[in-house]
Structures are given as structure tokens and as C-alpha cells.
Amino acid sequence: MTNRRFAAGSGLALTAVLALTACGGSGDAGGEESAGGPTTITMAGWDLAKTPEFTALAEGFNAQSDDVTIEVVEYPSGDDYVTAMTTDIAAGTAPDIVMMKQNTDFIRFSGNDLLLDVADVADGLDPATSALDVYQTEDGQTLAVPFRNDFWVVYYNKDLFDAAGVEYPDGSWTWDDYQATAQELKDGGLPEGAFPVYQHAWQSTVQGFAQAQTPGADLLSGDFEYLKPYYERALAMQDAGLQQPFGTVTTGSLHHSSEFGRQRAAMVPMGTWFSSQLIAQVGAGEADEFAWGIAPAPQYDESTTGLDNTPVTLGGPTGMAINARIDEAKIEAAKEFLAYSAGEEGATVLADLGLTPALVNDATVDAMFAVEGMPQDELSAFALGTSEVKQENPVDPNVAQIQSILSSLHTEVMPGATGIDQAIETAQSRFESEIQD
């Protein structure tokens, strides 16, 4: 397949290489650079129109570099990214810098000497950087560095809360409080067609929270009983009309951005990436203008609620790695870009877009809330600045298959096709036969 390439700052989509410098390299890993000339580093990205961080990071780095140009190569988004990148790596045509979109991508690409060791880059990063250990291997290598670390919170519509006469979240919610508030919103009266909650179809919306918050829960153990209370609550909320039925969400191809953005839901649990999407949609007229805020994810119990505690939630990093086939002459320049992107400067670039960088500190939180359209209340700042993020996908070779098993459980339980106990029993049996045997 042919991937589109962009020179950061050009604003033009091209099917051939467009460099900001007078001359550039071939754009492929291992390509030759002109002797004594500028260096071009190619970097993978996806859905550049809606995912601005790749271009923004490249532009920021290019602006301060005299002889290195970062060129963004656009790949398909979603699961298609992994398919396309796998093909290009095998063919030797992948960019110099490869993105680890999910931890499962790292598992796929970390073997067979496909990525360079960047432990020296990781060692130079701020120790406060989240998820630094995710990309470490058993033999002591570090094969990528995190530059984003998104995690799940609750977005809520203040106007709909006001209309229903319901108090805003205050950071003290358990899941029982969340369910009770949803009932209050329904009883208080919402506009026709609006629901208290929009729960997207992803299994993360149930399983991810259960795994992150339940004491002793271990995805790799094969014991999935910890999922039961979270599914009981989700089904009870469906049955009570507090959220749209799973079948309606899937068959209607509903999406969190339109359901919340068009005020058809008062609350939506979603990843922190949604902030920048919502702001962009409002600016483009694709979402209504209304007052909204961000609250911490509801908690398993009261031990982690309140502004004096640290809420627990699920999440995961996005990482950058260096293709092992990169021209040796370009390695140091590529490492410089990784250090920039995962460091304070890159964190500020992401925060200026309303995105959550891997390095979160007072400066980056302030930058996020300086973005026009971001809420300005204390709880929103707390929700984005204070959390214990548990990895949704541990780095393990069996994770993809386990998640496939649990995906089946999710799509059987949520529409009511199979009871919770039976679905869990089936998943555990599959784990024994497909993973343990």
C-alpha cells in the first residue's frame, strides 16, 4: 500500500515526499542522506486531520533544528495501522520512527530485532514520566519511550445536570454513586432523546475498569470472576433506561463523540484523548456549544475517592520506537527526536493541544487548561492531573488472545444473549484450553 507523506508545517497532503529542507533523504529506513546535507527522519502517524500531535511534534522539533527534518508518514487508523505497519516492517519500507499505538503493538514488534534499544533516551527522561517501564524487555533493553499516556475519566454536561437539578460530580463517587446520579438525572428530566449515560460498545468500558480497580484482579490469571459486579451494574443501568442498550449502540453505529457532543448523553466515560476531539468538534460546528467538565472515574470503593486521595483508572501509553533498519547515520537524530517528544518540550506541545502527555506536571496541566474551550473548574484539573493509571493491556505475548476471549464474553453478555456466570465460565474454560494448554 502507499502511505501518504507530509512534511510538518506544509499543510498539504502529498503522495510523494515533501521536505522542508532544500534536499532530503529517501524517506525509507536505511535510506542514504546527502553527504554533509540535511537529515530527514520519517515518522509514522495516523488520521492526521483528527490526530494533530504527530504534525505538531514534528513542527516543534523542526523549528529548533537546523539540519534535521521530521517527515510524517500517514498510516490508516485503528487496527489497520498495525496491519499496514507489520507489512511495511516486513518489506523493509517502514518509517524510521514507529509508533506503539497500544501495548499489544509493542508485543508484536519487540521481537526479532525489529526495534533499536533506546535505553539511553529513556534514562535521560524525567523519572516522573508515566509508563517508562512498559517498553523494557527481560534482557534489559528499552525498545520505545512513551510520549502520551491517556487514561479514562468521566466527561459530563453541566447544562444537562443543571436542567435536571442534579449536583455536579465532586470527586467522591464510587460506581454506586455514579449509577445513583444517573437515576437522578433521569428522574429530574432530560431533553427528549437524551440519556443520563452513554456507554460505548468497547469492552474497556466494563472490563478495563474492573481489571484496574478490583483488588487482586489479574488479566493473565484466567480468573475472570472480578468482572461480574461490573457487568451486573452495566446491565442494570441498561434495564433501567439509564443508558442506551448495547444492541442500539452497535447496530446504530453510535459514537461517543456525537452522543455527548450533540447533548444526547449527560455523562460519558472516555479516555482523556476526548478533550481535544470535543473542542475541535465544537469549533467545526460538529458538536453543540455547552458547559462541560471532567471528573475522575468512579471508584471501586471509598478508599480512593475524594480530592485527598488518588483515583485509580485504566489507561495506556502511546510510544515511539526506532526502526532497526534505520540508516546508522540517522540514529542519533532519531534519538534526539524521541527525547524531545517524550520530554518537557514535547509534553508542552501535546498539552497545548489538550492532550495528556506521558510527563504530567504542574506546567503541562496548566498548558492543557490554557487551551481555549477546556473547562476551568478545580475538579477537571484534579481529574487530569491526579490519577493512578493501571495498564489495560499488560505486556505479555498472550494478551491479544486473552482479550479476544474476553471480547466474546462482552458481546454475549451486554445484549443479554448469555448470562454473566455462564459467559465467565466459558471464558475461563477457553483460557485453560487456548492459553494454558
Side-chain angles (χ1 to χ4, degrees):
M1 67 184 299
T2 300
N3 298 307
R4 295 191 296 164
R5 301 182 179 230
F6 298 77
S10 68
L12 300 175
L14 306 178
T15 54
V17 176
L18 174 63
L20 290 178
T21 51
C23 59
S26 68
D28 292 332
E32 295 296 329
E33 297 291 335
S34 301
T39 299
T40 298
I41 304 291
T42 52
M43 175 182 72
W46 54 81
D47 199 9
L48 301 186
K50 295 182 179 180
T51 314
E53 63 265 31
F54 303 113
T55 301
L57 287 170
E59 287 178 342
F61 183 83
N62 290 348
Q64 68 178 33
S65 177
D66 294 329
D67 56 3
V68 178
T69 296
I70 304 299
E71 176 189 284
V72 185
V73 182
E74 184 171 29
Y75 275 75
S77 60
D79 293 338
D80 291 337
Y81 167 76
V82 180
T83 302
M85 182 57 68
T86 301
T87 300
D88 283 358
I89 286 180
T93 58
D96 301 312
I97 295 175
V98 179
M99 296 297 154
M100 301 294 107
K101 198 170 188 289
Q102 302 181 56
N103 289 355
T104 48
D105 301 346
F106 178 68
I107 297 167
R108 180 189 297 263
F109 297 134
S110 61
N112 301 315
D113 298 322
L114 298 177
L115 306 176
L116 287 186
D117 184 6
V118 291
D120 52 342
V121 177
D123 289 345
L125 296 176
D126 190 319
T129 304
S130 300
L132 273 175
D133 59 341
V134 168
Y135 302 119
Q136 294 175 351
T137 63
E138 293 182 356
D139 60 1
Q141 292 185 316
T142 299
L143 299 182
V145 294
F147 67 100
R148 279 182 60 175
N149 193 43
D150 292 291
F151 54 89
W152 284 63
V153 292
V154 170
Y155 290 84
Y156 66 99
N157 184 319
K158 293 183 178 181
D159 290 351
L160 292 182
F161 269 72
D162 290 342
V166 177
E167 293 185 1
Y168 300 157
D170 61 4
S172 69
W173 284 4
T174 63
W175 285 103
D176 289 340
D177 297 319
Y178 173 76
Q179 183 175 358
T181 300
Q183 187 65 56
E184 288 180 34
L185 287 164
K186 181 182 179 184
D187 295 342
L190 292 173
E192 184 177 354
F195 284 78
V197 171
Y198 175 76
Q199 180 171 300
H200 202 44
W202 300 330
Q203 66 197 81
S204 302
T205 60
V206 182
Q207 297 176 7
F209 285 115
Q211 177 192 329
Q213 296 176 337
T214 307
D218 182 1
L219 182 73
L220 304 178
S221 71
D223 180 356
F224 304 130
E225 288 294 332
Y226 63 86
L227 297 174
K228 184 174 180 178
Y230 283 78
Y231 273 108
E232 288 176 334
R233 183 181 304 107
L235 293 178
M237 292 181 68
Q238 269 190 174
D239 293 343
L242 304 181
Q243 62 192 41
Q244 298 219 41
F246 181 81
T248 302
V249 173
T250 54
T251 59
S253 299
L254 302 187
H255 197 268
H256 60 272
S257 59
S258 56
E259 294 305 299
F260 189 74
R262 291 304 188 189
Q263 303 193 79
R264 292 191 288 266
M267 296 187 287
V268 56
M270 191 50 55
T272 50
W273 62 80
F274 185 43
S275 299
S276 62
Q277 291 179 357
L278 180 58
I279 292 170
Q281 288 175 317
V282 171
E286 297 170 356
D288 298 342
E289 291 191 22
F290 57 90
W292 55 279
I294 307 170
Q299 297 296 289
Y300 177 81
D301 60 29
E302 294 181 352
S303 65
T304 53
T305 63
L307 303 187
D308 294 330
N309 289 313
T310 301
V312 178
T313 189
L314 74 147
T318 305
M320 287 187 183
I322 299 178
N323 185 349
R325 293 194 180 190
I326 188 173
D327 188 328
E328 187 175 353
K330 300 199 290 185
I331 292 176
E332 287 308 311
K335 286 184 175 182
E336 288 177 13
F337 180 68
L338 261 64
Y340 168 87
S341 298
E344 183 85 37
E345 292 174 296
T348 301
V349 169
L350 296 177
D352 285 342
L353 296 171
L355 298 171
T356 309
L359 177 58
V360 174
N361 53 30
D362 290 343
T364 55
V365 171
D366 288 345
M368 278 190 281
F369 284 91
V371 175
E372 185 176 357
M374 282 289 284
Q376 298 299 309
D377 59 276
E378 179 183 358
L379 185 63
S380 294
F382 175 81
L384 292 189
T386 308
S387 61
E388 180 183 354
V389 181
K390 300 287 187 70
Q391 296 298 311
E392 181 178 4
N393 289 305
V395 177
D396 186 274
N398 292 318
V399 162
Q401 192 170 357
I402 295 172
Q403 291 290 20
S404 177
I405 292 171
L406 294 181
S407 175
S408 297
L409 181 154
H410 185 70
T411 55
E412 291 169 4
V413 169
M414 287 304 298
T418 304
I420 299 172
D421 290 331
Q422 180 59 54
I424 289 175
E425 182 179 342
T426 298
Q428 292 178 160
S429 296
R430 287 187 59 189
F431 181 93
E432 292 177 3
S433 62
E434 298 175 25
I435 306 297
Q436 289 185 331
D437 290 350

